[in-house]
mmCIF file of all heavy atoms in Angstrom:
data_model
loop_
_atom_site.group_PDB
_atom_site.id
_atom_site.type_symbol
_atom_site.label_atom_id
_atom_site.label_comp_id
_atom_site.label_asym_id
_atom_site.label_seq_id
_atom_site.Cartn_x
_atom_site.Cartn_y
_atom_site.Cartn_z
ATOM 1 N N VAL A 1213 11.129 2.809 48.758
ATOM 2 C CA VAL A 1213 11.071 3.597 49.981
ATOM 3 C C VAL A 1213 10.347 4.916 49.713
ATOM 4 O O VAL A 1213 10.240 5.372 48.581
ATOM 5 C CB VAL A 1213 12.489 3.870 50.525
ATOM 6 C CG1 VAL A 1213 13.188 2.563 50.871
ATOM 7 C CG2 VAL A 1213 13.318 4.682 49.539
ATOM 8 N N GLY A 1214 9.834 5.491 50.784
ATOM 9 C CA GLY A 1214 9.169 6.783 50.678
ATOM 10 C C GLY A 1214 7.665 6.716 50.597
ATOM 11 O O GLY A 1214 7.005 7.752 50.502
ATOM 12 N N GLY A 1215 7.089 5.521 50.663
ATOM 13 C CA GLY A 1215 5.634 5.406 50.573
ATOM 14 C C GLY A 1215 4.923 6.138 51.701
ATOM 15 O O GLY A 1215 3.894 6.780 51.486
ATOM 16 N N ASP A 1216 5.486 6.057 52.916
ATOM 17 C CA ASP A 1216 4.860 6.748 54.042
ATOM 18 C C ASP A 1216 4.879 8.264 53.837
ATOM 19 O O ASP A 1216 3.924 8.963 54.201
ATOM 20 C CB ASP A 1216 5.582 6.404 55.347
ATOM 21 C CG ASP A 1216 5.297 4.990 55.829
ATOM 22 O OD1 ASP A 1216 4.353 4.361 55.306
ATOM 23 O OD2 ASP A 1216 6.017 4.514 56.721
ATOM 24 N N ILE A 1217 5.960 8.765 53.258
ATOM 25 C CA ILE A 1217 6.050 10.209 53.004
ATOM 26 C C ILE A 1217 5.004 10.625 51.982
ATOM 27 O O ILE A 1217 4.311 11.634 52.154
ATOM 28 C CB ILE A 1217 7.472 10.582 52.515
ATOM 29 C CG1 ILE A 1217 8.477 10.411 53.655
ATOM 30 C CG2 ILE A 1217 7.508 12.008 51.975
ATOM 31 C CD1 ILE A 1217 9.922 10.631 53.248
ATOM 32 N N LEU A 1218 4.858 9.855 50.915
ATOM 33 C CA LEU A 1218 3.887 10.203 49.879
ATOM 34 C C LEU A 1218 2.459 10.162 50.405
ATOM 35 O O LEU A 1218 1.604 10.935 49.973
ATOM 36 C CB LEU A 1218 4.023 9.257 48.683
ATOM 37 C CG LEU A 1218 5.322 9.369 47.876
ATOM 38 C CD1 LEU A 1218 5.316 8.373 46.736
ATOM 39 C CD2 LEU A 1218 5.538 10.780 47.356
ATOM 40 N N GLN A 1219 2.197 9.264 51.343
ATOM 41 C CA GLN A 1219 0.850 9.130 51.906
ATOM 42 C C GLN A 1219 0.616 10.044 53.108
ATOM 43 O O GLN A 1219 -0.469 10.038 53.686
ATOM 44 C CB GLN A 1219 0.606 7.677 52.329
ATOM 45 C CG GLN A 1219 0.539 6.698 51.172
ATOM 46 C CD GLN A 1219 0.365 5.277 51.663
ATOM 47 O OE1 GLN A 1219 1.172 4.759 52.444
ATOM 48 N NE2 GLN A 1219 -0.706 4.633 51.236
ATOM 49 N N ASP A 1220 1.633 10.831 53.461
ATOM 50 C CA ASP A 1220 1.534 11.725 54.628
ATOM 51 C C ASP A 1220 1.184 10.954 55.896
ATOM 52 O O ASP A 1220 0.463 11.446 56.766
ATOM 53 C CB ASP A 1220 0.498 12.833 54.402
ATOM 54 C CG ASP A 1220 0.845 13.725 53.220
ATOM 55 O OD1 ASP A 1220 2.039 14.014 53.051
ATOM 56 O OD2 ASP A 1220 -0.068 14.105 52.474
ATOM 57 N N LYS A 1221 1.699 9.730 56.014
ATOM 58 C CA LYS A 1221 1.388 8.922 57.198
ATOM 59 C C LYS A 1221 2.040 9.540 58.424
ATOM 60 O O LYS A 1221 3.183 9.987 58.383
ATOM 61 C CB LYS A 1221 1.864 7.477 57.007
ATOM 62 C CG LYS A 1221 0.990 6.674 56.049
ATOM 63 C CD LYS A 1221 1.433 5.235 55.973
ATOM 64 C CE LYS A 1221 1.139 4.481 57.240
ATOM 65 N NZ LYS A 1221 -0.303 4.259 57.433
ATOM 66 N N LYS A 1222 1.292 9.550 59.512
ATOM 67 C CA LYS A 1222 1.799 10.104 60.766
ATOM 68 C C LYS A 1222 2.692 9.060 61.429
ATOM 69 O O LYS A 1222 2.317 8.394 62.390
ATOM 70 C CB LYS A 1222 0.639 10.489 61.692
ATOM 71 C CG LYS A 1222 -0.409 11.395 61.084
ATOM 72 C CD LYS A 1222 0.169 12.670 60.504
ATOM 73 C CE LYS A 1222 -0.921 13.637 60.083
ATOM 74 N NZ LYS A 1222 -1.836 13.085 59.058
ATOM 75 N N THR A 1223 3.890 8.910 60.902
ATOM 76 C CA THR A 1223 4.860 7.997 61.482
ATOM 77 C C THR A 1223 5.656 8.723 62.560
ATOM 78 O O THR A 1223 5.592 9.940 62.703
ATOM 79 C CB THR A 1223 5.831 7.476 60.412
ATOM 80 O OG1 THR A 1223 6.599 8.590 59.911
ATOM 81 C CG2 THR A 1223 5.095 6.807 59.267
ATOM 82 N N TYR A 1224 6.447 7.961 63.289
ATOM 83 C CA TYR A 1224 7.309 8.559 64.310
ATOM 84 C C TYR A 1224 8.209 9.614 63.690
ATOM 85 O O TYR A 1224 8.460 10.672 64.296
ATOM 86 C CB TYR A 1224 8.142 7.467 64.974
ATOM 87 C CG TYR A 1224 8.907 7.918 66.192
ATOM 88 C CD1 TYR A 1224 8.332 7.846 67.460
ATOM 89 C CD2 TYR A 1224 10.200 8.420 66.086
ATOM 90 C CE1 TYR A 1224 9.023 8.270 68.587
ATOM 91 C CE2 TYR A 1224 10.903 8.844 67.200
ATOM 92 C CZ TYR A 1224 10.307 8.765 68.450
ATOM 93 O OH TYR A 1224 10.996 9.193 69.558
ATOM 94 N N LEU A 1225 8.684 9.356 62.467
ATOM 95 C CA LEU A 1225 9.613 10.275 61.827
ATOM 96 C C LEU A 1225 8.951 11.621 61.511
ATOM 97 O O LEU A 1225 9.504 12.679 61.820
ATOM 98 C CB LEU A 1225 10.179 9.647 60.544
ATOM 99 C CG LEU A 1225 11.317 8.639 60.717
ATOM 100 C CD1 LEU A 1225 10.790 7.326 61.283
ATOM 101 C CD2 LEU A 1225 12.006 8.369 59.384
ATOM 102 N N LEU A 1226 7.782 11.595 60.893
ATOM 103 C CA LEU A 1226 7.109 12.839 60.553
ATOM 104 C C LEU A 1226 6.725 13.606 61.818
ATOM 105 O O LEU A 1226 6.890 14.836 61.882
ATOM 106 C CB LEU A 1226 5.870 12.560 59.705
ATOM 107 C CG LEU A 1226 5.048 13.797 59.307
ATOM 108 C CD1 LEU A 1226 5.882 14.779 58.493
ATOM 109 C CD2 LEU A 1226 3.797 13.390 58.523
ATOM 110 N N ILE A 1227 6.225 12.897 62.822
ATOM 111 C CA ILE A 1227 5.813 13.564 64.060
ATOM 112 C C ILE A 1227 7.007 14.218 64.743
ATOM 113 O O ILE A 1227 6.941 15.369 65.187
ATOM 114 C CB ILE A 1227 5.124 12.557 64.992
ATOM 115 C CG1 ILE A 1227 3.811 12.066 64.367
ATOM 116 C CG2 ILE A 1227 4.864 13.179 66.364
ATOM 117 C CD1 ILE A 1227 3.218 10.861 65.053
ATOM 118 N N HIS A 1228 8.124 13.497 64.811
ATOM 119 C CA HIS A 1228 9.328 14.066 65.427
ATOM 120 C C HIS A 1228 9.782 15.311 64.676
ATOM 121 O O HIS A 1228 10.133 16.330 65.295
ATOM 122 C CB HIS A 1228 10.456 13.032 65.452
ATOM 123 C CG HIS A 1228 11.750 13.570 65.990
ATOM 124 N ND1 HIS A 1228 12.684 14.191 65.191
ATOM 125 C CD2 HIS A 1228 12.248 13.610 67.257
ATOM 126 C CE1 HIS A 1228 13.709 14.572 65.924
ATOM 127 N NE2 HIS A 1228 13.473 14.231 67.183
ATOM 128 N N ALA A 1229 9.778 15.241 63.352
ATOM 129 C CA ALA A 1229 10.225 16.390 62.562
ATOM 130 C C ALA A 1229 9.307 17.592 62.767
ATOM 131 O O ALA A 1229 9.776 18.731 62.906
ATOM 132 C CB ALA A 1229 10.299 16.012 61.090
ATOM 133 N N LEU A 1230 8.006 17.364 62.789
ATOM 134 C CA LEU A 1230 7.068 18.463 63.003
ATOM 135 C C LEU A 1230 7.251 19.086 64.390
ATOM 136 O O LEU A 1230 7.052 20.288 64.568
ATOM 137 C CB LEU A 1230 5.633 17.976 62.834
ATOM 138 C CG LEU A 1230 5.174 17.689 61.399
ATOM 139 C CD1 LEU A 1230 3.835 16.953 61.396
ATOM 140 C CD2 LEU A 1230 5.074 18.972 60.589
ATOM 141 N N GLU A 1231 7.625 18.264 65.361
ATOM 142 C CA GLU A 1231 7.801 18.759 66.725
ATOM 143 C C GLU A 1231 9.120 19.498 66.924
ATOM 144 O O GLU A 1231 9.212 20.387 67.786
ATOM 145 C CB GLU A 1231 7.727 17.602 67.731
ATOM 146 C CG GLU A 1231 6.331 17.009 67.908
ATOM 147 C CD GLU A 1231 6.315 15.860 68.904
ATOM 148 O OE1 GLU A 1231 7.406 15.376 69.289
ATOM 149 O OE2 GLU A 1231 5.209 15.440 69.284
ATOM 150 N N THR A 1232 10.153 19.142 66.151
ATOM 151 C CA THR A 1232 11.502 19.633 66.450
ATOM 152 C C THR A 1232 12.121 20.478 65.347
ATOM 153 O O THR A 1232 13.182 21.075 65.570
ATOM 154 C CB THR A 1232 12.444 18.452 66.738
ATOM 155 O OG1 THR A 1232 12.542 17.620 65.570
ATOM 156 C CG2 THR A 1232 11.930 17.610 67.911
ATOM 157 N N ALA A 1233 11.512 20.536 64.171
ATOM 158 C CA ALA A 1233 12.114 21.263 63.051
ATOM 159 C C ALA A 1233 12.183 22.764 63.338
ATOM 160 O O ALA A 1233 11.397 23.303 64.130
ATOM 161 C CB ALA A 1233 11.310 21.021 61.776
ATOM 162 N N THR A 1234 13.113 23.430 62.702
ATOM 163 C CA THR A 1234 13.172 24.886 62.773
ATOM 164 C C THR A 1234 11.909 25.465 62.145
ATOM 165 O O THR A 1234 11.224 24.778 61.380
ATOM 166 C CB THR A 1234 14.390 25.409 62.006
ATOM 167 O OG1 THR A 1234 14.226 25.089 60.613
ATOM 168 C CG2 THR A 1234 15.689 24.794 62.525
ATOM 169 N N PRO A 1235 11.573 26.705 62.467
ATOM 170 C CA PRO A 1235 10.384 27.304 61.843
ATOM 171 C C PRO A 1235 10.406 27.212 60.323
ATOM 172 O O PRO A 1235 9.371 26.935 59.699
ATOM 173 C CB PRO A 1235 10.433 28.750 62.324
ATOM 174 C CG PRO A 1235 11.111 28.662 63.662
ATOM 175 C CD PRO A 1235 12.157 27.594 63.486
ATOM 176 N N GLU A 1236 11.568 27.420 59.726
ATOM 177 C CA GLU A 1236 11.655 27.351 58.263
ATOM 178 C C GLU A 1236 11.389 25.940 57.764
ATOM 179 O O GLU A 1236 10.638 25.732 56.797
ATOM 180 C CB GLU A 1236 13.043 27.815 57.802
ATOM 181 C CG GLU A 1236 13.215 27.790 56.285
ATOM 182 C CD GLU A 1236 14.589 28.249 55.843
ATOM 183 O OE1 GLU A 1236 15.386 28.689 56.705
ATOM 184 O OE2 GLU A 1236 14.870 28.162 54.632
ATOM 185 N N ASP A 1237 11.991 24.945 58.426
ATOM 186 C CA ASP A 1237 11.769 23.560 58.014
ATOM 187 C C ASP A 1237 10.334 23.124 58.308
ATOM 188 O O ASP A 1237 9.758 22.325 57.566
ATOM 189 C CB ASP A 1237 12.754 22.627 58.712
ATOM 190 C CG ASP A 1237 14.091 22.544 57.988
ATOM 191 O OD1 ASP A 1237 14.132 22.896 56.785
ATOM 192 O OD2 ASP A 1237 15.081 22.112 58.614
ATOM 193 N N HIS A 1238 9.750 23.635 59.386
ATOM 194 C CA HIS A 1238 8.359 23.312 59.686
ATOM 195 C C HIS A 1238 7.451 23.820 58.572
ATOM 196 O O HIS A 1238 6.543 23.113 58.112
ATOM 197 C CB HIS A 1238 7.947 23.916 61.027
ATOM 198 C CG HIS A 1238 6.641 23.419 61.548
ATOM 199 N ND1 HIS A 1238 5.423 23.922 61.118
ATOM 200 C CD2 HIS A 1238 6.343 22.422 62.441
ATOM 201 C CE1 HIS A 1238 4.447 23.281 61.739
ATOM 202 N NE2 HIS A 1238 4.978 22.377 62.541
ATOM 203 N N ARG A 1239 7.705 25.036 58.097
ATOM 204 C CA ARG A 1239 6.920 25.570 56.981
ATOM 205 C C ARG A 1239 7.134 24.728 55.730
ATOM 206 O O ARG A 1239 6.190 24.477 54.960
ATOM 207 C CB ARG A 1239 7.298 27.033 56.717
ATOM 208 C CG ARG A 1239 6.765 28.004 57.763
ATOM 209 C CD ARG A 1239 6.921 29.437 57.294
ATOM 210 N NE ARG A 1239 8.327 29.812 57.172
ATOM 211 C CZ ARG A 1239 9.054 30.324 58.160
ATOM 212 N NH1 ARG A 1239 8.511 30.523 59.355
ATOM 213 N NH2 ARG A 1239 10.311 30.642 57.965
ATOM 214 N N MET A 1240 8.364 24.267 55.528
ATOM 215 C CA MET A 1240 8.658 23.415 54.374
ATOM 216 C C MET A 1240 7.847 22.121 54.433
ATOM 217 O O MET A 1240 7.219 21.714 53.443
ATOM 218 C CB MET A 1240 10.150 23.094 54.337
ATOM 219 C CG MET A 1240 10.550 22.055 53.295
ATOM 220 S SD MET A 1240 10.447 22.656 51.604
ATOM 221 C CE MET A 1240 11.932 23.672 51.564
ATOM 222 N N LEU A 1241 7.834 21.485 55.616
ATOM 223 C CA LEU A 1241 7.061 20.257 55.758
ATOM 224 C C LEU A 1241 5.581 20.504 55.490
ATOM 225 O O LEU A 1241 4.928 19.752 54.762
ATOM 226 C CB LEU A 1241 7.234 19.677 57.167
ATOM 227 C CG LEU A 1241 8.480 18.852 57.459
ATOM 228 C CD1 LEU A 1241 8.491 18.425 58.920
ATOM 229 C CD2 LEU A 1241 8.570 17.635 56.552
ATOM 230 N N MET A 1242 5.048 21.558 56.077
ATOM 231 C CA MET A 1242 3.636 21.845 55.917
ATOM 232 C C MET A 1242 3.273 22.168 54.477
ATOM 233 O O MET A 1242 2.133 21.943 54.040
ATOM 234 C CB MET A 1242 3.232 23.001 56.829
ATOM 235 C CG MET A 1242 3.350 22.682 58.310
ATOM 236 S SD MET A 1242 2.394 21.221 58.792
ATOM 237 C CE MET A 1242 0.737 21.769 58.432
ATOM 238 N N SER A 1243 4.235 22.659 53.709
ATOM 239 C CA SER A 1243 3.954 22.957 52.306
ATOM 240 C C SER A 1243 3.844 21.695 51.465
ATOM 241 O O SER A 1243 3.263 21.711 50.377
ATOM 242 C CB SER A 1243 5.043 23.865 51.728
ATOM 243 O OG SER A 1243 6.271 23.168 51.572
ATOM 244 N N TRP A 1244 4.416 20.599 51.984
ATOM 245 C CA TRP A 1244 4.349 19.335 51.253
ATOM 246 C C TRP A 1244 3.221 18.433 51.741
ATOM 247 O O TRP A 1244 2.615 17.701 50.957
ATOM 248 C CB TRP A 1244 5.675 18.577 51.403
ATOM 249 C CG TRP A 1244 6.800 19.104 50.572
ATOM 250 C CD1 TRP A 1244 7.839 19.871 50.997
ATOM 251 C CD2 TRP A 1244 7.020 18.893 49.179
ATOM 252 N NE1 TRP A 1244 8.688 20.148 49.962
ATOM 253 C CE2 TRP A 1244 8.210 19.553 48.822
ATOM 254 C CE3 TRP A 1244 6.323 18.204 48.186
ATOM 255 C CZ2 TRP A 1244 8.717 19.557 47.536
ATOM 256 C CZ3 TRP A 1244 6.819 18.205 46.895
ATOM 257 C CH2 TRP A 1244 8.012 18.873 46.575
ATOM 258 N N VAL A 1245 2.969 18.423 53.039
ATOM 259 C CA VAL A 1245 1.976 17.504 53.611
ATOM 260 C C VAL A 1245 0.602 17.783 53.011
ATOM 261 O O VAL A 1245 0.154 18.918 52.947
ATOM 262 C CB VAL A 1245 1.928 17.641 55.142
ATOM 263 C CG1 VAL A 1245 0.755 16.856 55.713
ATOM 264 C CG2 VAL A 1245 3.230 17.153 55.763
ATOM 265 N N GLY A 1246 -0.037 16.705 52.550
ATOM 266 C CA GLY A 1246 -1.375 16.822 51.977
ATOM 267 C C GLY A 1246 -1.393 17.108 50.494
ATOM 268 O O GLY A 1246 -2.464 17.241 49.891
ATOM 269 N N ARG A 1247 -0.214 17.137 49.868
ATOM 270 C CA ARG A 1247 -0.160 17.473 48.440
ATOM 271 C C ARG A 1247 0.235 16.286 47.560
ATOM 272 O O ARG A 1247 0.493 16.471 46.380
ATOM 273 C CB ARG A 1247 0.823 18.624 48.204
ATOM 274 C CG ARG A 1247 0.392 19.930 48.852
ATOM 275 C CD ARG A 1247 1.443 21.009 48.648
ATOM 276 N NE ARG A 1247 1.016 22.273 49.247
ATOM 277 C CZ ARG A 1247 0.345 23.220 48.606
ATOM 278 N NH1 ARG A 1247 0.016 23.042 47.336
ATOM 279 N NH2 ARG A 1247 0.005 24.333 49.218
ATOM 280 N N GLY A 1248 0.278 15.100 48.145
ATOM 281 C CA GLY A 1248 0.648 13.940 47.337
ATOM 282 C C GLY A 1248 2.014 14.137 46.729
ATOM 283 O O GLY A 1248 2.986 14.396 47.411
ATOM 284 N N GLY A 1249 2.116 14.061 45.412
ATOM 285 C CA GLY A 1249 3.384 14.243 44.724
ATOM 286 C C GLY A 1249 3.654 15.672 44.364
ATOM 287 O O GLY A 1249 4.659 15.968 43.726
ATOM 288 N N GLU A 1250 2.744 16.572 44.759
ATOM 289 C CA GLU A 1250 2.941 17.967 44.419
ATOM 290 C C GLU A 1250 3.522 18.724 45.608
ATOM 291 O O GLU A 1250 3.528 18.261 46.721
ATOM 292 C CB GLU A 1250 1.604 18.597 44.008
ATOM 293 C CG GLU A 1250 0.974 17.925 42.804
ATOM 294 C CD GLU A 1250 -0.367 18.536 42.454
ATOM 295 O OE1 GLU A 1250 -0.835 19.402 43.219
ATOM 296 O OE2 GLU A 1250 -0.924 18.160 41.423
ATOM 297 N N GLY A 1251 4.021 19.904 45.365
ATOM 298 C CA GLY A 1251 4.580 20.696 46.450
ATOM 299 C C GLY A 1251 5.028 22.037 45.953
ATOM 300 O O GLY A 1251 4.591 22.508 44.908
ATOM 301 N N PRO A 1252 5.937 22.667 46.670
ATOM 302 C CA PRO A 1252 6.379 23.995 46.285
ATOM 303 C C PRO A 1252 6.991 24.042 44.902
ATOM 304 O O PRO A 1252 6.809 24.997 44.161
ATOM 305 C CB PRO A 1252 7.408 24.341 47.366
ATOM 306 C CG PRO A 1252 7.065 23.464 48.522
ATOM 307 C CD PRO A 1252 6.540 22.211 47.909
ATOM 308 N N ALA A 1253 7.728 22.970 44.573
ATOM 309 C CA ALA A 1253 8.337 22.960 43.244
ATOM 310 C C ALA A 1253 7.280 22.659 42.196
ATOM 311 O O ALA A 1253 6.327 21.933 42.447
ATOM 312 C CB ALA A 1253 9.437 21.901 43.188
ATOM 313 N N ALA A 1254 7.437 23.222 41.037
ATOM 314 C CA ALA A 1254 6.469 22.990 39.967
ATOM 315 C C ALA A 1254 6.469 21.525 39.584
ATOM 316 O O ALA A 1254 7.506 20.889 39.505
ATOM 317 C CB ALA A 1254 6.810 23.843 38.761
ATOM 318 N N THR A 1255 5.287 21.004 39.347
ATOM 319 C CA THR A 1255 5.152 19.614 38.934
ATOM 320 C C THR A 1255 5.328 19.518 37.431
ATOM 321 O O THR A 1255 4.649 20.211 36.675
ATOM 322 C CB THR A 1255 3.761 19.075 39.299
ATOM 323 O OG1 THR A 1255 3.596 19.209 40.716
ATOM 324 C CG2 THR A 1255 3.616 17.624 38.910
ATOM 325 N N PRO A 1256 6.254 18.658 36.937
ATOM 326 C CA PRO A 1256 6.439 18.534 35.506
ATOM 327 C C PRO A 1256 5.143 18.151 34.807
ATOM 328 O O PRO A 1256 4.345 17.394 35.338
ATOM 329 C CB PRO A 1256 7.483 17.405 35.388
ATOM 330 C CG PRO A 1256 8.186 17.394 36.717
ATOM 331 C CD PRO A 1256 7.163 17.808 37.714
ATOM 332 N N THR A 1257 4.931 18.692 33.642
ATOM 333 C CA THR A 1257 3.718 18.422 32.886
ATOM 334 C C THR A 1257 3.569 16.927 32.651
ATOM 335 O O THR A 1257 4.504 16.252 32.223
ATOM 336 C CB THR A 1257 3.769 19.139 31.526
ATOM 337 O OG1 THR A 1257 3.944 20.532 31.770
ATOM 338 C CG2 THR A 1257 2.495 18.901 30.757
ATOM 339 N N GLY A 1258 2.366 16.453 32.946
ATOM 340 C CA GLY A 1258 2.068 15.036 32.680
ATOM 341 C C GLY A 1258 2.600 14.092 33.736
ATOM 342 O O GLY A 1258 2.458 12.892 33.612
ATOM 343 N N THR A 1259 3.237 14.609 34.780
ATOM 344 C CA THR A 1259 3.790 13.745 35.808
ATOM 345 C C THR A 1259 2.767 13.516 36.902
ATOM 346 O O THR A 1259 2.142 14.454 37.372
ATOM 347 C CB THR A 1259 5.054 14.380 36.424
ATOM 348 O OG1 THR A 1259 6.010 14.534 35.384
ATOM 349 C CG2 THR A 1259 5.629 13.486 37.513
ATOM 350 N N THR A 1260 2.591 12.295 37.310
ATOM 351 C CA THR A 1260 1.667 11.966 38.391
ATOM 352 C C THR A 1260 2.386 11.129 39.419
ATOM 353 O O THR A 1260 3.358 10.441 39.121
ATOM 354 C CB THR A 1260 0.454 11.180 37.869
ATOM 355 O OG1 THR A 1260 0.918 9.982 37.231
ATOM 356 C CG2 THR A 1260 -0.336 12.011 36.875
#
């Protein structure tokens, strides 16, 4: 599970969350979208 999240697919779930999330959660989502396996948290060395 989670393939759609990793691919940033515009599913019903992601669209609903972007439309309804709090400003803080919206910023959180936007910080992850488009980054593949990377994001706000540091990526462990050698991890892909």
Side-chain angles (χ1 to χ4, degrees):
V1213 298
D1216 287 347
I1217 291 175
L1218 293 180
Q1219 293 177 303
D1220 299 321
K1221 286 184 70 70
K1222 307 305 188 300
T1223 65
Y1224 189 90
L1225 280 73
L1226 179 60
I1227 295 167
H1228 176 272
L1230 287 169
E1231 289 179 348
T1232 62
T1234 64
E1236 181 180 355
D1237 275 341
H1238 192 278
R1239 286 192 295 271
M1240 172 71 76
L1241 279 177
M1242 295 304 297
S1243 71
W1244 284 103
V1245 171
R1247 295 177 179 269
E1250 300 178 354
T1255 302
T1257 302
T1259 299
T1260 58

